[in-house]
Amino acid sequence: MKLFFRLLKYVFNYKRHIILIVLCNILYSVFSVFSLALIVPFLSVIFGITPAVHSAPTTSFSVDSMIQWFYYYMDVVINKFGSVYALVYIAIVMIVMTFIYNLFRYLGQFFLAPIRAGVLNNIRKDIYRAFTILPLSFYSRYKKGDLLNRMGSDVQEVEWSIISSLQTFARDPLLILVYLIALFKINYQLTLITLVLLPFLGYLTTIIGRAIQKNSKSAQKLLGKLSSLYDEAIGGLKIIKGYNAIDYANRKFQQTSKEHYKINTKIFRINELGGPLIETLSIITMVFVLMIGTSLISKGEQLNGTHFVLFIVVFARMIPSAKKIVTVIYTLKKGLPSAQRIFEILDADEVIVEDPNPIAISEIKNEIVFKDLYFDYTPVASPQDCKVLKGINLRIKKGQTIALVGASGSGKSTIVDLIPRFYDPSFGSIEIDGIDIRKLKIMDLRALFGIVTQDVTLFNDTVFNNITFGKKDIPREKVIQAAKMAHADSFIMQMEHGYDTLIGDRGMNLSGGERQRISIARALLIDPEVYIFDEATSALDNESEAIIQSAINEIFQEKTAIIVAHRLTTIQNADQILFIEEGNVSESGTHQELLELKGKYYQYYAHQNLFHS
Ligand SMILES: Nc1ncnc2c1ncn2[C@@H]1O[C@H](COP(=O)(O)OP(=O)(O)OP(=O)(O)O)[C@@H](O)[C@H]1O
Ligand SMILES: [Mg+2]
């Protein structure tokens, strides 16, 4: 239920609408009772037992006086035209009433519409926002397909189940309340009988509801798994085909899909219990009401025939509403696990949080310093448990070019990812000019860097937009200039629409090296304080790399740069080279110094020289 109330918070953003909806629904319920109540005079006319009201009642604004007015005019009509016209008179009033209550019913829906659409919209916005601010570590724990599913089918499920039930929740309980009041007014004994069965109904509803919620939870989980499989299949199609694993992949999918099928069948079956259940209970109640009502009438007290008929009619009208509420409770239970999956994302607590009083920063004056930094991708209790980075100390002076080299998996990418706070250190700190970067404004901090990541990310957009990426009002010449420096202009110009060519999903229409060059252009364009290049030219051939490198080196002369590279030829001019080994800086110095040291770097270098020469 807590979940439900959390969802309601989204609904309560629309306070004015809610007031209007409640108002419309009250009016709808009241008018619909009135229109039903017209059965009484109708029957009275037919059976010739119309109460005669010969003089106009004293005007007062109450239900009773309205009834008196109604009967007064009916009396006038009967006396003037006969009782057949009285029926016409009643029919006209009935039509007017029906029109009025349906109008309010529609208005209730009318004001609900923006809430239905708006709540979903806001949930989606919140999820997207959460996706963008969540730390990258979050994504190593969840599968991409599953996350996408939360945004897609879980939101959809919330729409179907929870949002669509708003309609019922906004109306039917009110309707039942008004009907119950009417029933009490007609005859309280009979009304009490109808309430006896309520606890049973409540009990059964709860049990069934729980079963639905439990199964639905498993169903959504499996659906997430299926999405991951889709995603993997599309991403890994070459591997699946190349390794003749089509059958294997299909079997894996079918297994999960079958589990999902079984659970879904179960949910549908349980879900359908609601209707028959409430209908049976209602009919049983109705039988009791009929029996007791008849005996009350035969005693000639408290109840007359027309009121009894009215009671039955109002009660019968209540059944569909009760049925709807029960069904909606089930649907709601079905949707709650999805809501939970959504909130799991919104609540993920290891968000990279900004300091409540963040310090602004627009440039680096002196240096970036790593102080006793330990890091692990999973939460750990002590520095000794950190397996990825183990006590890094380093100092990057403004204007220097720092190169990180070392074996694959030694922690180079992790080191550079910590600087823009893609992750926060487990222990120790990173300081810029003596200030812990966790105290800085995150936007400011990240704006200092021009990042080229190891796995290049391009977006399904034009080349131009992929280079400017969200930066507005950038003159075309500047973009072209950046592309030229990144050695990308020539291949971009060969594309069908030049800079306006769409590059397809994640830049799949481009080669690895082309993608790298676009992402280098993106970094060069913003002219940042610090360049962070993680294997930025690894996909290029030696010749292109050398050309880009010389262009970049010129820029790096004035800027601070942190480069990760496997190919040592690209970093020989660096002011400082750090050799990273299993999460530690094992050697540091200039190229020359490290060669003279004849340590790991020297071996590494000798090895590469052998291969390249
Ligand atoms: N998102 C992640 N979640 C968990 N562990 C990770 C994650 N990314 C990297 N690792 C682990 O952290 C260690 C360091 O990885 P890192 O990517 O920093 O290495 P690297 O030096 O950049 O290697 P390469 O030269 O292959 O790019 C590795 O053991 C790797 O398995
Ligand atoms: Mg790496």
Side-chain angles (χ1 to χ4, degrees):
M1 270 296 113
K2 236 165 65 195
L3 279 170
F4 181 61
F5 286 117
R6 256 193 94 176
L7 280 170
L8 278 189
K9 267 196 200 144
Y10 281 94
V11 177
F12 286 144
N13 285 334
Y14 297 82
K15 287 203 186 62
R16 268 197 323 198
H17 284 86
I18 294 175
I19 294 170
L20 285 171
I21 291 167
V22 171
L23 206 68
C24 287
N25 282 322
I26 290 176
L27 289 170
Y28 158 67
S29 317
V30 170
F31 277 102
S32 80
V33 169
F34 278 154
S35 85
L36 287 182
L38 285 169
I39 287 190
V40 175
F42 204 87
L43 291 177
S44 310
V45 171
I46 290 175
F47 295 126
I49 45 167
T50 334
V53 181
H54 297 304
S55 55
T58 47
T59 322
S60 78
F61 215 75
S62 72
V63 174
D64 280 336
S65 81
M66 272 164 66
I67 294 171
Q68 290 300 312
W69 274 105
F70 176 81
Y71 278 124
Y72 169 67
Y73 280 116
M74 199 163 95
D75 196 59
V76 171
V77 173
I78 290 175
N79 286 334
K80 254 193 172 163
F81 306 105
S83 49
V84 174
Y85 280 93
L87 291 181
V88 176
Y89 165 69
I90 298 170
I92 291 172
V93 177
M94 213 179 237
I95 290 171
V96 172
M97 286 282 181
T98 309
F99 175 76
I100 294 176
Y101 86 68
N102 274 304
L103 180 70
F104 283 119
R105 178 157 104 168
Y106 174 71
L107 283 178
Q109 296 299 323
F110 182 85
F111 293 121
L112 186 65
I115 300 187
R116 289 186 61 171
V119 165
L120 275 177
N121 217 16
N122 289 338
I123 292 179
R124 280 208 187 93
K125 269 197 289 201
D126 282 358
I127 298 180
Y128 189 85
R129 181 142 199 92
F131 275 162
T132 49
I133 57 174
L134 276 171
L136 290 146
S137 55
F138 182 82
Y139 295 93
S140 22
R141 279 198 287 118
Y142 290 88
K143 285 195 169 160
K144 192 170 122 223
D146 183 61
L147 289 175
L148 287 179
N149 208 47
R150 285 168 203 246
M151 190 135 183
S153 95
D154 279 311
V155 174
Q156 194 63 256
E157 181 67 45
V158 166
E159 162 158 40
W160 281 333
S161 65
I162 296 164
I163 308 301
S164 69
S165 50
L166 283 180
Q167 186 177 341
T168 302
F169 277 122
R171 191 175 60 206
D172 292 77
L174 265 177
L175 201 71
I176 288 187
L177 187 72
V178 172
Y179 279 13
L180 269 178
I181 293 171
L183 288 181
F184 261 109
K185 275 216 135 189
I186 300 167
N187 187 288
Y188 73 91
Q189 290 115 317
L190 287 181
T191 313
L192 287 178
I193 295 171
T194 60
L195 294 182
V196 168
L197 281 171
L198 220 56
F200 288 107
L201 188 64
Y203 179 66
L204 287 172
T205 309
T206 318
I207 293 185
I208 297 179
R210 262 192 218 136
I212 292 178
Q213 190 169 350
K214 194 175 122 233
N215 283 300
S216 168
K217 194 171 180 171
S218 319
Q220 284 307 117
K221 226 178 175 167
L222 286 169
L223 213 55
K225 213 164 150 188
L226 288 178
S227 298
S228 309
L229 291 173
Y230 281 138
D231 183 59
E232 279 175 13
I234 294 170
L237 216 48
K238 273 189 204 165
I239 303 295
I240 291 179
K241 285 183 203 289
Y243 283 85
N244 282 327
I246 292 178
D247 281 342
Y248 168 72
N250 272 295
R251 269 202 308 279
K252 219 162 106 182
F253 186 85
Q254 276 159 16
Q255 207 177 356
T256 312
S257 153
K258 197 169 162 191
E259 276 174 63
H260 184 245
Y261 154 83
K262 276 192 197 152
I263 285 195
N264 251 358
T265 313
K266 210 156 136 193
I267 293 175
F268 287 139
R269 283 181 180 155
I270 303 175
N271 215 357
E272 287 308 315
L273 278 175
L277 178 81
I278 188 141
E279 205 147 328
T280 313
L281 283 178
S282 308
I283 297 299
I284 292 173
T285 315
M286 184 79 100
V287 170
F288 276 103
V289 166
L290 281 175
M291 277 173 3
I292 294 167
T294 320
S295 94
L296 283 179
I297 290 177
S298 66
K299 278 191 204 144
E301 305 156 13
Q302 296 128 341
L303 192 64
N304 64 40
T306 47
H307 280 110
F308 186 45
V309 173
L310 178 61
F311 188 95
I312 305 267
V313 171
V314 173
F315 182 74
R317 275 290 291 268
M318 226 168 74
I319 295 176
S321 278
K323 201 162 139 185
K324 245 192 196 157
I325 291 179
V326 171
T327 331
V328 151
I329 289 176
Y330 293 166
T331 330
L332 191 71
K333 294 271 181 185
K334 188 161 170 286
L336 285 179
S338 285
Q340 193 174 11
R341 283 161 55 84
I342 291 171
F343 287 134
E344 232 173 79
I345 294 177
L346 299 185
D347 292 347
D349 51 358
E350 348 95 273
V351 190
I352 301 280
V353 272
E354 184 162 84
D355 192 276
N357 302 307
I359 302 169
I361 184 168
S362 58
E363 59 165 344
I364 296 175
K365 294 198 176 74
N366 292 315
E367 57 187 7
I368 303 173
V369 177
F370 280 57
K371 281 194 170 163
D372 279 330
L373 191 143
Y374 291 82
F375 179 78
D376 202 284
Y377 282 97
T378 50
V380 285
S382 70
Q384 282 74 39
D385 298 328
C386 290
K387 286 187 265 334
V388 181
L389 299 180
K390 307 163 188 168
I392 302 271
N393 281 295
L394 57 94
R395 192 173 289 269
I396 302 161
K397 288 265 180 216
K398 185 184 168 93
Q400 276 193 342
T401 298
I402 301 287
L404 304 177
V405 288
S408 177
S410 55
K412 305 179 297 292
S413 296
T414 309
I415 292 176
V416 295
D417 281 350
L418 287 164
I419 305 175
R421 286 192 76 191
F422 293 154
Y423 306 94
D424 274 341
S426 307
F427 299 93
S429 62
I430 299 175
E431 291 177 1
I432 293 180
D433 297 336
I435 305 170
D436 190 321
I437 56 171
R438 280 169 291 203
K439 294 209 178 84
L440 297 173
K441 229 173 139 193
I442 295 180
M443 291 265 271
D444 279 6
L445 171 74
R446 293 188 179 152
L448 296 174
F449 308 105
I451 304 170
V452 179
T453 49
Q454 189 166 12
D455 37 348
V456 174
T457 316
L458 297 182
F459 299 86
N460 189 0
D461 206 333
T462 58
V463 173
F464 186 88
N465 287 341
N466 263 291
I467 298 177
T468 56
F469 198 54
K471 307 270 178 305
K472 292 201 186 80
D473 307 322
I474 295 192
R476 216 174 163 83
E477 310 82 72
K478 280 195 100 171
V479 175
I480 294 173
Q481 191 192 355
K484 277 190 173 146
M485 273 194 282
H487 209 51
D489 181 67
S490 52
F491 83 81
I492 293 171
M493 290 315 286
Q494 278 168 22
M495 293 163 94
E496 199 180 341
H497 304 288
Y499 283 84
D500 299 317
T501 313
L502 281 169
I503 57 168
D505 196 21
R506 280 178 278 163
M508 282 309 167
N509 303 349
L510 301 175
S511 80
E514 287 167 344
R515 267 178 269 160
Q516 276 193 335
R517 280 179 273 173
I518 288 185
S519 90
I520 292 172
R522 183 191 286 159
L524 295 176
L525 179 75
I526 60 172
D527 189 27
E529 280 278 302
V530 182
Y531 285 98
I532 298 180
F533 277 26
D534 190 352
E535 303 282 1
T537 50
S538 59
L540 297 172
D541 58 280
N542 284 338
E543 198 181 336
S544 319
E545 186 176 37
I547 297 172
I548 297 178
Q549 204 60 49
S550 70
I552 291 176
N553 279 345
E554 234 166 78
I555 299 164
F556 285 3
Q557 296 246 302
E558 298 149 31
K559 293 279 175 178
T560 316
I562 305 163
I563 330 172
V564 178
H566 270 129
R567 248 181 261 164
L568 300 184
T569 46
T570 54
I571 53 151
Q572 285 172 12
N573 298 324
D575 299 296
Q576 204 189 159
I577 297 170
L578 304 166
F579 194 82
I580 312 295
E581 203 178 9
E582 292 181 13
N584 276 312
V585 182
S586 64
E587 291 172 14
S588 70
T590 61
H591 177 64
Q592 217 48 47
E593 285 165 1
L594 288 182
L595 284 188
E596 282 161 21
L597 195 70
K598 292 227 156 62
K600 299 267 179 190
Y601 181 80
Y602 175 83
Q603 284 173 20
Y604 208 67
Y605 186 75
H607 223 65
Q608 285 202 1
N609 254 4
L610 269 184
F611 284 121
H612 289 311
S613 56

